[in-house]
Amino acid sequence: MASKQASVALLVLATGLVIGCSKTADTTPERRLFGTPPTIESVTFTPATVHATCDYSDYARFSFCAEDPSAPPFTLDGVGMMITANYSDLTMTVKVTDPDSGPSGSDILLVGASYKLPENNVENTIVLFDDGSKNSFPGSADGQINRTCTVDEDAGTCECVQPPKGNRSLLSGDTTAGDETFTRRFAFFGFKSGIKNQENAFFDCIQRAEHEAPFTFSGDPHFQFRIDVTDKSGNLTTWPDRPQFDATTGTFACSGDRCACCIFFETTTPSPDCRGLPGMIGPPGSPYESGVCMTL
């Protein structure tokens, strides 16, 4: 009997030691492990509609030479070939304080805004930064719209190079580093046209012109976010409210050379849809001296 009582006493003591390893008790909405949890002072969501404009004139001028090195570069009408991508933009700002931060650096490990994808209910997390937009993150686009072509007209040769994945430089949108204000500017890309090249250019232009990551979505454009802050000890603080954001699908427009816009961004059947449109003029003596769309 004495032995059994001793075993129970040791079990109680051991349990007390394990529980005693935590310096603070778990509370809601904070999860406390060691030290003092971070405090979320404020959460600000600033929506906007952005008009990103990009020049794809070189893509049109050298469009045929990758497949046919003898194809001449084209002369484009007006401003060349410009596209404008209109889309929903969201700037998320979270002000955080942590008493364990000091001259040696911030104690904040991660600030995240999590939401569920409307099409499959899977959770995605956007990471916010306090970096003054000094860090660069890789972005990329599909298709051939980014290729760079070098033409030797005397030799009749053309070499086109597709940039590597991650060639776009994306930034957080944070304005001041080290001020405990964490920021992320993010694009919500719900644009679907059925014309793949148009969608690729839309996606790429957001990255090229605005240096922000586009998130593609389909279905319900209503998003609800959970804001979490974690420090280096593993303490978690969650903002009690759920900020909301309603995105729009976006619009696309191509201006400048009518023939080029039609062929590359406005139809999947250039012939007959683009037949007779002005622009994309080849040099004298070439099959396209009256314009590409005139030959369709």
Side-chain angles (χ1 to χ4, degrees):
M1 177 63 89
S3 175
K4 185 176 181 179
Q5 291 175 339
S7 298
V8 172
L10 288 172
L11 179 60
V12 172
L13 177 61
T15 303
L17 289 173
V18 171
I19 295 175
C21 286
S22 176
K23 293 183 179 180
T24 55
D26 288 345
T27 62
T28 301
E30 301 169 349
R31 186 180 68 208
R32 299 168 181 259
L33 296 176
F34 295 94
T36 303
T39 298
I40 301 176
E41 301 288 347
S42 63
V43 173
T44 304
F45 273 34
T46 306
T49 299
V50 175
H51 313 283
T53 301
C54 297
D55 187 344
Y56 287 99
S57 298
D58 282 347
Y59 171 55
R61 290 187 65 239
F62 303 117
S63 55
F64 293 170
C65 72
E67 291 75 28
D68 178 8
S70 65
F74 299 105
T75 299
L76 304 183
D77 286 343
V79 295
M81 186 170 69
M82 307 290 293
I83 72 160
T84 301
N86 302 311
Y87 64 95
S88 292
D89 177 272
L90 178 63
T91 299
M92 297 168 280
T93 304
V94 179
K95 177 66 176 177
V96 181
T97 57
D98 192 316
D100 294 327
S101 297
S104 60
S106 174
D107 190 49
I108 302 301
L109 178 64
L110 180 69
V111 178
S114 301
Y115 61 96
K116 290 184 177 180
L117 306 182
E119 58 269 23
N120 55 20
N121 214 34
V122 173
E123 186 172 272
N124 187 43
T125 299
I126 300 172
V127 179
L128 282 66
F129 296 89
D130 182 18
D131 65 347
S133 293
K134 293 179 180 179
N135 296 315
S136 177
F137 314 98
S140 61
D142 297 326
Q144 297 181 333
I145 55 175
N146 294 324
R147 65 184 181 182
T148 301
C149 297
T150 302
V151 178
D152 186 333
E153 295 184 55
D154 294 331
T157 60
C158 170
E159 181 181 4
C160 294
V161 178
Q162 186 76 19
K165 291 288 186 180
N167 64 306
R168 293 298 181 211
S169 176
L170 309 182
L171 306 174
S172 67
D174 186 62
T175 55
T176 305
D179 64 351
E180 296 187 311
T181 298
F182 292 76
T183 306
R184 189 67 183 272
R185 185 171 173 234
F186 214 73
F188 284 79
F189 170 72
F191 178 77
K192 298 293 179 183
S193 66
I195 303 174
K196 191 62 178 176
N197 213 36
Q198 191 177 119
E199 294 172 14
N200 287 340
F202 194 115
F203 191 90
D204 176 63
C205 189
I206 293 173
Q207 298 178 98
R208 180 195 293 192
E210 300 298 323
H211 301 285
E212 60 181 321
F215 161 70
T216 59
F217 70 92
S218 59
D220 186 3
H222 176 75
F223 298 90
Q224 191 175 64
F225 292 82
R226 188 187 71 247
I227 308 299
D228 297 314
V229 178
T230 306
D231 67 14
K232 294 177 181 177
S233 298
N235 295 310
L236 172 67
T237 300
T238 300
W239 185 246
D241 297 327
R242 295 290 187 269
Q244 299 181 10
F245 172 68
D246 291 318
T248 58
T249 56
T251 60
F252 177 97
C254 181
S255 60
D257 189 289
R258 288 304 308 134
C259 178
C261 283
C262 182
I263 287 177
F264 297 113
F265 294 127
E266 295 176 2
T267 182
T268 57
T269 55
S271 179
D273 293 351
C274 305
R275 184 178 298 145
L277 291 177
M280 287 193 76
I281 306 297
S286 75
Y288 310 107
E289 64 178 331
S290 62
V292 171
C293 290
M294 299 297 179
T295 68
L296 295 175

